[in-house]
Amino acid sequence: MLGFEDVEDRLVEAVRTCQRYPDRERGWQRIRSAWPEISRDVLVGDYDARGGDGSSSDVALRSAAMTRQDVAEMEEAFAWLDRMDPVDRKLIGLAIAQLARGRREVPWGKLLPAMGLTKGADGLRMRYGRAITAICNAINGGNPQRDVSMG
């Protein structure tokens, strides 16, 4: 049974996995003859395995390769959004992208222009909460509190 935070964490991880996905179009545009790339420039020195000049600290480490399980979990999490209203899907995407950047809280006021609004940051927060709760309910097979007496 997945709770609110579990669904939110899975969506954040899905966005991070998606960001690590290689850009095939950019890679295709970079293809060129390999011969000039392997020729050694005596003035610069030898290249290390990651393509840097001189020491390996010149080049940032690439992120770890994705596993099949990472991609499957990403696709599963994104499939949860298929049943959502397009406006809710956009709101979830904007909010989860903020959390994936490392923020602890979503700056709801900054999302207003992207949602086409000028005010109502608290309303966005509540709508987001209802949307994530709807995903939780769909994953867990319905709302467990619907049969509970409220009186």
Side-chain angles (χ1 to χ4, degrees):
M1 181 175 252
L2 293 175
F4 188 94
E5 292 82 16
D6 299 326
V7 170
E8 202 172 47
D9 290 344
R10 285 281 306 273
L11 288 170
V12 167
E13 284 304 313
V15 168
R16 288 182 179 157
T17 301
C18 189
Q19 290 170 345
R20 289 188 338 213
Y21 219 76
D23 185 357
R24 290 185 182 175
E25 183 177 350
R26 183 172 42 174
W28 177 257
Q29 291 172 350
R30 286 184 171 182
I31 291 178
R32 55 186 170 213
S33 174
W35 183 253
E37 297 298 321
I38 60 172
S39 63
R40 183 172 185 259
D41 187 352
V42 292
L43 298 176
V44 175
D46 208 355
Y47 298 106
D48 72 352
R50 291 181 287 162
D53 301 337
S55 69
S56 61
S57 63
D58 296 340
V59 179
L61 291 172
R62 289 188 295 174
S63 59
M66 292 182 291
T67 64
R68 289 183 199 139
Q69 182 176 355
D70 292 338
V71 174
E73 289 175 358
M74 175 189 72
E75 290 174 349
E76 178 187 22
F78 286 157
W80 296 340
L81 302 174
D82 288 343
R83 292 181 234 136
M84 303 301 298
D85 179 71
V87 176
D88 289 340
R89 190 179 314 136
K90 180 178 181 179
L91 177 60
I92 290 171
L94 291 169
I96 293 296
Q98 293 294 320
L99 296 174
R101 288 188 188 120
R103 293 185 182 261
R104 290 179 176 253
E105 294 182 6
V106 177
W108 297 108
K110 291 183 179 181
L111 299 185
L112 289 171
M115 293 298 293
L117 302 170
T118 56
K119 56 185 174 181
D122 196 45
L124 282 182
R125 181 188 56 78
M126 290 187 292
R127 184 172 189 158
Y128 170 79
R130 287 190 300 269
I132 295 293
T133 301
I135 292 172
C136 292
N137 293 337
I139 293 169
N140 296 326
N143 185 354
Q145 295 182 350
R146 73 175 168 215
D147 296 328
V148 176
S149 173
M150 300 305 263

